[in-house]
PDB file of all heavy atoms in Angstrom:
ATOM      1  N   LEU G   1       0.829  -1.255  -0.020  1.00 90.00           N
ATOM      2  CA  LEU G   1       0.089   0.006   0.016  1.00 90.00           C
ATOM      3  C   LEU G   1       0.895   1.252  -0.028  1.00 90.00           C
ATOM      4  O   LEU G   1       0.609   2.156  -0.716  1.00 90.00           O
ATOM      5  CB  LEU G   1      -0.916  -0.030   1.230  1.00 90.00           C
ATOM      6  CG  LEU G   1      -2.163  -0.904   1.201  1.00 90.00           C
ATOM      7  CD1 LEU G   1      -2.667  -1.007   2.593  1.00 90.00           C
ATOM      8  CD2 LEU G   1      -3.114  -0.445   0.182  1.00 90.00           C
ATOM      9  N   LEU G   2       1.833   1.281   0.880  1.00 91.00           N
ATOM     10  CA  LEU G   2       2.633   2.472   1.000  1.00 91.00           C
ATOM     11  C   LEU G   2       3.653   2.654  -0.209  1.00 91.00           C
ATOM     12  O   LEU G   2       3.965   3.826  -0.579  1.00 91.00           O
ATOM     13  CB  LEU G   2       3.512   2.389   2.249  1.00 91.00           C
ATOM     14  CG  LEU G   2       2.707   2.353   3.622  1.00 91.00           C
ATOM     15  CD1 LEU G   2       3.710   2.176   4.768  1.00 91.00           C
ATOM     16  CD2 LEU G   2       1.966   3.682   3.779  1.00 91.00           C
ATOM     17  N   SER G   3       4.124   1.616  -0.816  1.00 91.00           N
ATOM     18  CA  SER G   3       5.022   1.688  -1.983  1.00 91.00           C
ATOM     19  C   SER G   3       4.265   2.246  -3.223  1.00 91.00           C
ATOM     20  O   SER G   3       4.977   2.689  -4.123  1.00 91.00           O
ATOM     21  CB  SER G   3       5.809   0.411  -2.232  1.00 91.00           C
ATOM     22  OG  SER G   3       4.761  -0.626  -2.516  1.00 91.00           O
ATOM     23  N   ALA G   4       2.949   2.143  -3.212  1.00 87.00           N
ATOM     24  CA  ALA G   4       2.235   2.671  -4.249  1.00 87.00           C
ATOM     25  C   ALA G   4       2.284   4.133  -4.411  1.00 87.00           C
ATOM     26  O   ALA G   4       1.871   4.869  -5.327  1.00 87.00           O
ATOM     27  CB  ALA G   4       0.732   2.156  -4.288  1.00 87.00           C
ATOM     28  N   ASP G   5       2.708   4.833  -3.237  1.00 86.00           N
ATOM     29  CA  ASP G   5       2.726   6.280  -3.184  1.00 86.00           C
ATOM     30  C   ASP G   5       4.187   6.700  -3.418  1.00 86.00           C
ATOM     31  O   ASP G   5       5.089   6.373  -2.677  1.00 86.00           O
ATOM     32  CB  ASP G   5       2.341   6.753  -1.807  1.00 86.00           C
ATOM     33  CG  ASP G   5       2.053   8.205  -1.660  1.00 86.00           C
ATOM     34  OD1 ASP G   5       2.893   8.980  -2.395  1.00 86.00           O
ATOM     35  OD2 ASP G   5       1.179   8.713  -1.025  1.00 86.00           O
ATOM     36  N   ALA G   6       4.375   7.473  -4.474  1.00 85.00           N
ATOM     37  CA  ALA G   6       5.735   7.868  -4.899  1.00 85.00           C
ATOM     38  C   ALA G   6       6.392   8.741  -3.860  1.00 85.00           C
ATOM     39  O   ALA G   6       7.613   9.061  -3.915  1.00 85.00           O
ATOM     40  CB  ALA G   6       5.729   8.480  -6.319  1.00 85.00           C
ATOM     41  N   ASN G   7       5.560   9.389  -2.995  1.00 86.00           N
ATOM     42  CA  ASN G   7       6.000  10.352  -2.062  1.00 86.00           C
ATOM     43  C   ASN G   7       6.588   9.734  -0.784  1.00 86.00           C
ATOM     44  O   ASN G   7       7.108  10.421   0.088  1.00 86.00           O
ATOM     45  CB  ASN G   7       5.021  11.427  -1.695  1.00 86.00           C
ATOM     46  CG  ASN G   7       4.575  12.204  -2.903  1.00 86.00           C
ATOM     47  OD1 ASN G   7       5.434  12.736  -3.581  1.00 86.00           O
ATOM     48  ND2 ASN G   7       3.338  12.436  -3.098  1.00 86.00           N
ATOM     49  N   ILE G   8       6.362   8.432  -0.574  1.00 91.00           N
ATOM     50  CA  ILE G   8       6.811   7.749   0.632  1.00 91.00           C
ATOM     51  C   ILE G   8       8.287   7.484   0.563  1.00 91.00           C
ATOM     52  O   ILE G   8       8.842   6.951  -0.401  1.00 91.00           O
ATOM     53  CB  ILE G   8       6.064   6.411   0.835  1.00 91.00           C
ATOM     54  CG1 ILE G   8       4.565   6.537   1.153  1.00 91.00           C
ATOM     55  CG2 ILE G   8       6.764   5.515   1.911  1.00 91.00           C
ATOM     56  CD1 ILE G   8       4.307   7.184   2.508  1.00 91.00           C
ATOM     57  N   ASP G   9       8.970   7.940   1.630  1.00 93.00           N
ATOM     58  CA  ASP G   9      10.503   7.734   1.666  1.00 93.00           C
ATOM     59  C   ASP G   9      10.822   6.303   1.542  1.00 93.00           C
ATOM     60  O   ASP G   9      10.233   5.465   2.373  1.00 93.00           O
ATOM     61  CB  ASP G   9      10.992   8.382   2.974  1.00 93.00           C
ATOM     62  CG  ASP G   9      12.423   8.491   3.144  1.00 93.00           C
ATOM     63  OD1 ASP G   9      13.156   7.565   2.642  1.00 93.00           O
ATOM     64  OD2 ASP G   9      12.942   9.534   3.731  1.00 93.00           O
ATOM     65  N   PRO G  10      11.821   5.845   0.795  1.00 94.00           N
ATOM     66  CA  PRO G  10      12.138   4.421   0.832  1.00 94.00           C
ATOM     67  C   PRO G  10      12.650   3.917   2.132  1.00 94.00           C
ATOM     68  O   PRO G  10      12.427   2.727   2.413  1.00 94.00           O
ATOM     69  CB  PRO G  10      13.310   4.379  -0.215  1.00 94.00           C
ATOM     70  CG  PRO G  10      13.072   5.562  -1.054  1.00 94.00           C
ATOM     71  CD  PRO G  10      12.527   6.599  -0.160  1.00 94.00           C
ATOM     72  N   GLN G  11      13.176   4.764   2.991  1.00 96.00           N
ATOM     73  CA  GLN G  11      13.603   4.306   4.368  1.00 96.00           C
ATOM     74  C   GLN G  11      12.409   4.068   5.223  1.00 96.00           C
ATOM     75  O   GLN G  11      12.439   3.131   5.975  1.00 96.00           O
ATOM     76  CB  GLN G  11      14.442   5.510   4.963  1.00 96.00           C
ATOM     77  CG  GLN G  11      14.895   5.132   6.474  1.00 96.00           C
ATOM     78  CD  GLN G  11      16.030   4.153   6.441  1.00 96.00           C
ATOM     79  OE1 GLN G  11      15.925   3.077   5.879  1.00 96.00           O
ATOM     80  NE2 GLN G  11      17.033   4.438   7.249  1.00 96.00           N
ATOM     81  N   VAL G  12      11.350   4.698   4.999  1.00 96.00           N
ATOM     82  CA  VAL G  12      10.093   4.396   5.751  1.00 96.00           C
ATOM     83  C   VAL G  12       9.590   3.064   5.270  1.00 96.00           C
ATOM     84  O   VAL G  12       9.189   2.213   6.229  1.00 96.00           O
ATOM     85  CB  VAL G  12       9.041   5.514   5.357  1.00 96.00           C
ATOM     86  CG1 VAL G  12       7.657   5.055   5.909  1.00 96.00           C
ATOM     87  CG2 VAL G  12       9.409   6.798   6.049  1.00 96.00           C
ATOM     88  N   LEU G  13       9.651   2.724   4.071  1.00 96.00           N
ATOM     89  CA  LEU G  13       9.242   1.484   3.635  1.00 96.00           C
ATOM     90  C   LEU G  13      10.146   0.290   4.170  1.00 96.00           C
ATOM     91  O   LEU G  13       9.568  -0.812   4.646  1.00 96.00           O
ATOM     92  CB  LEU G  13       9.277   1.247   2.023  1.00 96.00           C
ATOM     93  CG  LEU G  13       8.235   2.079   1.217  1.00 96.00           C
ATOM     94  CD1 LEU G  13       8.640   2.067  -0.211  1.00 96.00           C
ATOM     95  CD2 LEU G  13       6.851   1.684   1.535  1.00 96.00           C
ATOM     96  N   ASN G  14      11.376   0.564   4.305  1.00 97.00           N
ATOM     97  CA  ASN G  14      12.381  -0.421   4.856  1.00 97.00           C
ATOM     98  C   ASN G  14      12.024  -0.656   6.267  1.00 97.00           C
ATOM     99  O   ASN G  14      12.108  -1.827   6.820  1.00 97.00           O
ATOM    100  CB  ASN G  14      13.768   0.198   4.676  1.00 97.00           C
ATOM    101  CG  ASN G  14      14.752  -0.996   4.677  1.00 97.00           C
ATOM    102  OD1 ASN G  14      14.507  -2.119   4.425  1.00 97.00           O
ATOM    103  ND2 ASN G  14      16.048  -0.536   5.028  1.00 97.00           N
ATOM    104  N   ILE G  15      11.704   0.383   7.120  1.00 97.00           N
ATOM    105  CA  ILE G  15      11.359   0.135   8.457  1.00 97.00           C
ATOM    106  C   ILE G  15      10.117  -0.598   8.623  1.00 97.00           C
ATOM    107  O   ILE G  15       9.999  -1.571   9.432  1.00 97.00           O
ATOM    108  CB  ILE G  15      11.164   1.506   9.194  1.00 97.00           C
ATOM    109  CG1 ILE G  15      12.530   2.396   9.157  1.00 97.00           C
ATOM    110  CG2 ILE G  15      10.714   1.322  10.646  1.00 97.00           C
ATOM    111  CD1 ILE G  15      12.367   3.793   9.577  1.00 97.00           C
ATOM    112  N   VAL G  16       9.063  -0.300   7.801  1.00 97.00           N
ATOM    113  CA  VAL G  16       7.798  -1.008   7.877  1.00 97.00           C
ATOM    114  C   VAL G  16       7.950  -2.457   7.541  1.00 97.00           C
ATOM    115  O   VAL G  16       7.478  -3.349   8.236  1.00 97.00           O
ATOM    116  CB  VAL G  16       6.792  -0.337   6.951  1.00 97.00           C
ATOM    117  CG1 VAL G  16       5.464  -1.228   6.830  1.00 97.00           C
ATOM    118  CG2 VAL G  16       6.413   1.022   7.413  1.00 97.00           C
ATOM    119  N   GLN G  17       8.819  -2.732   6.510  1.00 97.00           N
ATOM    120  CA  GLN G  17       9.031  -4.166   6.093  1.00 97.00           C
ATOM    121  C   GLN G  17       9.736  -5.021   7.109  1.00 97.00           C
ATOM    122  O   GLN G  17       9.465  -6.201   7.133  1.00 97.00           O
ATOM    123  CB  GLN G  17       9.778  -4.117   4.724  1.00 97.00           C
ATOM    124  CG  GLN G  17       9.931  -5.455   4.123  1.00 97.00           C
ATOM    125  CD  GLN G  17      10.539  -5.463   2.763  1.00 97.00           C
ATOM    126  OE1 GLN G  17      11.568  -4.726   2.603  1.00 97.00           O
ATOM    127  NE2 GLN G  17       9.950  -6.136   1.719  1.00 97.00           N
ATOM    128  N   CYS G  18      10.566  -4.339   7.971  1.00 97.00           N
ATOM    129  CA  CYS G  18      11.464  -5.100   8.837  1.00 97.00           C
ATOM    130  C   CYS G  18      11.078  -5.021  10.306  1.00 97.00           C
ATOM    131  O   CYS G  18      11.784  -5.599  11.119  1.00 97.00           O
ATOM    132  CB  CYS G  18      12.868  -4.682   8.655  1.00 97.00           C
ATOM    133  SG  CYS G  18      13.528  -4.931   7.031  1.00 97.00           S
ATOM    134  N   HIS G  19      10.008  -4.335  10.629  1.00 97.00           N
ATOM    135  CA  HIS G  19       9.751  -4.030  12.039  1.00 97.00           C
ATOM    136  C   HIS G  19       9.300  -5.248  12.852  1.00 97.00           C
ATOM    137  O   HIS G  19       9.352  -5.253  14.121  1.00 97.00           O
ATOM    138  CB  HIS G  19       8.757  -2.802  12.194  1.00 97.00           C
ATOM    139  CG  HIS G  19       7.303  -3.204  12.117  1.00 97.00           C
ATOM    140  ND1 HIS G  19       6.695  -3.423  10.896  1.00 97.00           N
ATOM    141  CD2 HIS G  19       6.371  -3.548  12.995  1.00 97.00           C
ATOM    142  CE1 HIS G  19       5.435  -3.744  11.104  1.00 97.00           C
ATOM    143  NE2 HIS G  19       5.179  -3.865  12.407  1.00 97.00           N
ATOM    144  N   LYS G  20       8.885  -6.344  12.235  1.00 96.00           N
ATOM    145  CA  LYS G  20       8.516  -7.550  12.857  1.00 96.00           C
ATOM    146  C   LYS G  20       9.580  -8.583  12.828  1.00 96.00           C
ATOM    147  O   LYS G  20       9.343  -9.680  13.369  1.00 96.00           O
ATOM    148  CB  LYS G  20       7.218  -8.058  12.315  1.00 96.00           C
ATOM    149  CG  LYS G  20       5.957  -7.151  12.515  1.00 96.00           C
ATOM    150  CD  LYS G  20       5.658  -6.863  13.943  1.00 96.00           C
ATOM    151  CE  LYS G  20       5.093  -8.057  14.678  1.00 96.00           C
ATOM    152  NZ  LYS G  20       4.657  -7.690  16.089  1.00 96.00           N
ATOM    153  N   GLU G  21      10.693  -8.267  12.188  1.00 96.00           N
ATOM    154  CA  GLU G  21      11.857  -9.162  12.306  1.00 96.00           C
ATOM    155  C   GLU G  21      12.449  -9.178  13.729  1.00 96.00           C
ATOM    156  O   GLU G  21      12.239  -8.217  14.476  1.00 96.00           O
ATOM    157  CB  GLU G  21      13.040  -8.747  11.352  1.00 96.00           C
ATOM    158  CG  GLU G  21      12.568  -8.575   9.875  1.00 96.00           C
ATOM    159  CD  GLU G  21      12.282  -9.964   9.202  1.00 96.00           C
ATOM    160  OE1 GLU G  21      12.579 -10.976   9.879  1.00 96.00           O
ATOM    161  OE2 GLU G  21      11.900  -9.992   7.997  1.00 96.00           O
ATOM    162  N   GLN G  22      13.091 -10.283  14.120  1.00 94.00           N
ATOM    163  CA  GLN G  22      13.570 -10.327  15.499  1.00 94.00           C
ATOM    164  C   GLN G  22      14.994 -10.653  15.516  1.00 94.00           C
ATOM    165  O   GLN G  22      15.590 -11.325  14.553  1.00 94.00           O
ATOM    166  CB  GLN G  22      12.713 -11.423  16.343  1.00 94.00           C
ATOM    167  CG  GLN G  22      11.331 -11.018  16.463  1.00 94.00           C
ATOM    168  CD  GLN G  22      10.653 -11.660  17.652  1.00 94.00           C
ATOM    169  OE1 GLN G  22      11.100 -12.540  18.235  1.00 94.00           O
ATOM    170  NE2 GLN G  22       9.459 -11.121  17.974  1.00 94.00           N
ATOM    171  N   TYR G  23      15.704 -10.203  16.562  1.00 93.00           N
ATOM    172  CA  TYR G  23      17.099 -10.237  16.643  1.00 93.00           C
ATOM    173  C   TYR G  23      17.747 -11.618  16.453  1.00 93.00           C
ATOM    174  O   TYR G  23      18.833 -11.885  15.827  1.00 93.00           O
ATOM    175  CB  TYR G  23      17.589  -9.691  18.030  1.00 93.00           C
ATOM    176  CG  TYR G  23      19.046  -9.445  18.192  1.00 93.00           C
ATOM    177  CD1 TYR G  23      19.574  -8.338  17.500  1.00 93.00           C
ATOM    178  CD2 TYR G  23      19.908 -10.240  18.977  1.00 93.00           C
ATOM    179  CE1 TYR G  23      20.989  -8.063  17.685  1.00 93.00           C
ATOM    180  CE2 TYR G  23      21.175  -9.973  19.190  1.00 93.00           C
ATOM    181  CZ  TYR G  23      21.771  -8.955  18.554  1.00 93.00           C
ATOM    182  OH  TYR G  23      23.113  -8.562  18.659  1.00 93.00           O
ATOM    183  N   ASP G  24      17.007 -12.609  16.884  1.00 89.00           N
ATOM    184  CA  ASP G  24      17.523 -14.038  16.768  1.00 89.00           C
ATOM    185  C   ASP G  24      17.104 -14.781  15.498  1.00 89.00           C
ATOM    186  O   ASP G  24      17.319 -15.941  15.294  1.00 89.00           O
ATOM    187  CB  ASP G  24      17.183 -14.892  18.002  1.00 89.00           C
ATOM    188  CG  ASP G  24      15.631 -15.013  18.138  1.00 89.00           C
ATOM    189  OD1 ASP G  24      14.914 -14.399  17.313  1.00 89.00           O
ATOM    190  OD2 ASP G  24      15.200 -15.626  19.208  1.00 89.00           O
ATOM    191  N   GLY G  25      16.414 -14.008  14.600  1.00 90.00           N
ATOM    192  CA  GLY G  25      15.984 -14.539  13.294  1.00 90.00           C
ATOM    193  C   GLY G  25      14.703 -15.248  13.356  1.00 90.00           C
ATOM    194  O   GLY G  25      14.245 -15.813  12.361  1.00 90.00           O
ATOM    195  N   SER G  26      13.939 -15.155  14.441  1.00 89.00           N
ATOM    196  CA  SER G  26      12.678 -15.821  14.574  1.00 89.00           C
ATOM    197  C   SER G  26      11.468 -14.994  14.123  1.00 89.00           C
ATOM    198  O   SER G  26      10.281 -15.347  14.231  1.00 89.00           O
ATOM    199  CB  SER G  26      12.460 -16.286  16.103  1.00 89.00           C
ATOM    200  OG  SER G  26      12.326 -15.055  16.917  1.00 89.00           O
ATOM    201  N   GLY G  27      11.716 -13.798  13.569  1.00 92.00           N
ATOM    202  CA  GLY G  27      10.685 -12.875  13.235  1.00 92.00           C
ATOM    203  C   GLY G  27      10.236 -13.188  11.737  1.00 92.00           C
ATOM    204  O   GLY G  27      10.551 -14.168  11.185  1.00 92.00           O
ATOM    205  N   TYR G  28       9.426 -12.160  11.216  1.00 93.00           N
ATOM    206  CA  TYR G  28       8.891 -12.348   9.956  1.00 93.00           C
ATOM    207  C   TYR G  28       8.823 -10.961   9.208  1.00 93.00           C
ATOM    208  O   TYR G  28       8.921  -9.951   9.922  1.00 93.00           O
ATOM    209  CB  TYR G  28       7.443 -12.966  10.008  1.00 93.00           C
ATOM    210  CG  TYR G  28       6.436 -12.255  10.727  1.00 93.00           C
ATOM    211  CD1 TYR G  28       5.698 -11.273  10.160  1.00 93.00           C
ATOM    212  CD2 TYR G  28       6.293 -12.505  12.159  1.00 93.00           C
ATOM    213  CE1 TYR G  28       4.697 -10.519  10.879  1.00 93.00           C
ATOM    214  CE2 TYR G  28       5.346 -11.833  12.913  1.00 93.00           C
ATOM    215  CZ  TYR G  28       4.570 -10.848  12.256  1.00 93.00           C
ATOM    216  OH  TYR G  28       3.614 -10.128  12.958  1.00 93.00           O
ATOM    217  N   PRO G  29       8.774 -10.875   7.976  1.00 94.00           N
ATOM    218  CA  PRO G  29       8.480 -11.950   6.967  1.00 94.00           C
ATOM    219  C   PRO G  29       9.634 -12.665   6.410  1.00 94.00           C
ATOM    220  O   PRO G  29       9.503 -13.691   5.736  1.00 94.00           O
ATOM    221  CB  PRO G  29       7.711 -11.103   5.816  1.00 94.00           C
ATOM    222  CG  PRO G  29       8.299  -9.817   5.918  1.00 94.00           C
ATOM    223  CD  PRO G  29       8.602  -9.530   7.332  1.00 94.00           C
ATOM    224  N   ARG G  30      10.931 -12.213   6.602  1.00 92.00           N
ATOM    225  CA  ARG G  30      12.085 -12.778   5.918  1.00 92.00           C
ATOM    226  C   ARG G  30      12.970 -13.489   6.808  1.00 92.00           C
ATOM    227  O   ARG G  30      14.047 -14.125   6.437  1.00 92.00           O
ATOM    228  CB  ARG G  30      12.802 -11.685   5.172  1.00 92.00           C
ATOM    229  CG  ARG G  30      12.004 -11.076   3.963  1.00 92.00           C
ATOM    230  CD  ARG G  30      12.852 -10.122   3.188  1.00 92.00           C
ATOM    231  NE  ARG G  30      13.064  -8.869   3.940  1.00 92.00           N
ATOM    232  CZ  ARG G  30      13.880  -7.943   3.560  1.00 92.00           C
ATOM    233  NH1 ARG G  30      14.673  -8.069   2.519  1.00 92.00           N
ATOM    234  NH2 ARG G  30      13.955  -6.792   4.215  1.00 92.00           N
ATOM    235  N   GLY G  31      12.727 -13.457   8.169  1.00 91.00           N
ATOM    236  CA  GLY G  31      13.594 -14.216   9.066  1.00 91.00           C
ATOM    237  C   GLY G  31      15.010 -13.584   9.184  1.00 91.00           C
ATOM    238  O   GLY G  31      16.055 -14.219   9.394  1.00 91.00           O
ATOM    239  N   LEU G  32      15.161 -12.210   9.106  1.00 92.00           N
ATOM    240  CA  LEU G  32      16.449 -11.496   9.247  1.00 92.00           C
ATOM    241  C   LEU G  32      16.849 -11.566  10.722  1.00 92.00           C
ATOM    242  O   LEU G  32      16.043 -11.825  11.642  1.00 92.00           O
ATOM    243  CB  LEU G  32      16.226 -10.037   8.829  1.00 92.00           C
ATOM    244  CG  LEU G  32      15.720  -9.783   7.474  1.00 92.00           C
ATOM    245  CD1 LEU G  32      15.670  -8.313   7.181  1.00 92.00           C
ATOM    246  CD2 LEU G  32      16.617 -10.416   6.392  1.00 92.00           C
TER     247      LEU G  32
END
């Protein structure tokens, strides 16, 4: 939804995409 808006800062998208990742790799969506 946010990436469809050209005015959204790419760094904002990066935070949103990774905010549920966890330090030990048990988070989601990519297991970082």
Side-chain angles (χ1 to χ4, degrees):
L1 286 167
L2 296 175
S3 61
D5 190 326
N7 296 315
I8 290 289
D9 189 323
Q11 179 72 312
V12 170
L13 290 175
N14 204 21
I15 298 168
V16 172
Q17 187 172 48
C18 299
H19 82 278
K20 295 301 286 186
E21 303 288 357
Q22 298 202 344
Y23 191 72
D24 60 3
S26 63
Y28 59 90
R30 292 184 288 169
L32 302 180

